[in-house]
Amino acid sequence: MLQRLGEERQLKGMMLPDKDWQTHRHRLLNLQHLQNDIQKLKNRISELSFHPQPDDLSVMMIEDQLELLQRQQKQLEEKVTQELPQNYQKQLVYGVSVKGIGKKTATFLLLFTQGLFFSQGVG
């Protein structure tokens, strides 16, 4: 039945986004996961601070993990903003011209929407 439906309606195949866009999308998703993990670790540290006798080793290990994830987050944010596709550069200028939107936010909006968000330009 599916084959017949496809033949009758002449359905077009789906086009995957280009490899560069997929790479940026994966990096943004990884960044989102890092941010979630960082918040979880901060919550654990906060939870331990209310304990009358927190285990120093546990606190130290969590703080070390937090520091590592924060370094990775910074590295990934820099990579994403530095390696913005050339065709998004003009749109980035439009994006940062919007009050309250910086380079990082504009970059993420461009990548998540594949350039649609600032495609008309904002004055």
Side-chain angles (χ1 to χ4, degrees):
M1 285 184 75
L2 288 175
Q3 180 182 0
R4 196 167 58 209
L5 176 68
E7 290 170 354
E8 290 173 5
R9 297 205 180 161
Q10 304 266 326
L11 300 175
K12 296 180 181 177
M14 184 180 116
M15 296 290 294
L16 289 175
D18 66 15
K19 186 175 180 352
D20 288 339
W21 185 86
Q22 290 182 51
T23 298
H24 287 289
R25 176 80 174 171
H26 291 157
R27 288 179 180 173
L28 289 174
L29 290 173
N30 188 25
L31 187 57
Q32 193 173 29
H33 289 289
L34 277 173
Q35 290 168 336
N36 290 340
D37 292 344
I38 287 169
Q39 188 57 52
K40 287 177 188 177
L41 289 174
K42 287 180 178 180
N43 291 345
R44 287 175 58 195
I45 291 171
S46 178
E47 178 185 316
L48 284 173
S49 71
F50 286 105
H51 195 280
Q53 295 176 337
D55 175 47
D56 291 338
L57 178 62
S58 296
V59 172
M60 183 186 74
M61 292 175 81
I62 295 170
E63 288 173 344
D64 287 347
Q65 291 172 15
L66 179 61
E67 185 180 315
L68 172 65
L69 292 181
Q70 287 172 330
R71 279 197 319 266
Q72 290 177 341
Q73 177 188 19
K74 184 176 180 178
Q75 178 184 12
L76 197 52
E77 284 175 351
E78 289 173 358
K79 199 78 159 161
V80 166
T81 56
Q82 289 171 355
E83 294 183 2
L84 188 66
Q86 188 63 34
N87 58 331
Y88 288 167
Q89 295 299 329
K90 184 177 180 184
Q91 293 171 316
L92 182 63
V93 173
Y94 293 139
V96 296
S97 71
V98 175
K99 186 176 182 179
I101 295 185
K103 184 177 180 181
K104 184 171 123 182
T105 302
T107 300
F108 290 6
L109 287 170
L110 280 169
L111 292 172
F112 268 116
T113 64
Q114 291 184 313
L116 180 64
F117 196 77
F118 300 118
S119 62
Q120 299 301 315
V122 179

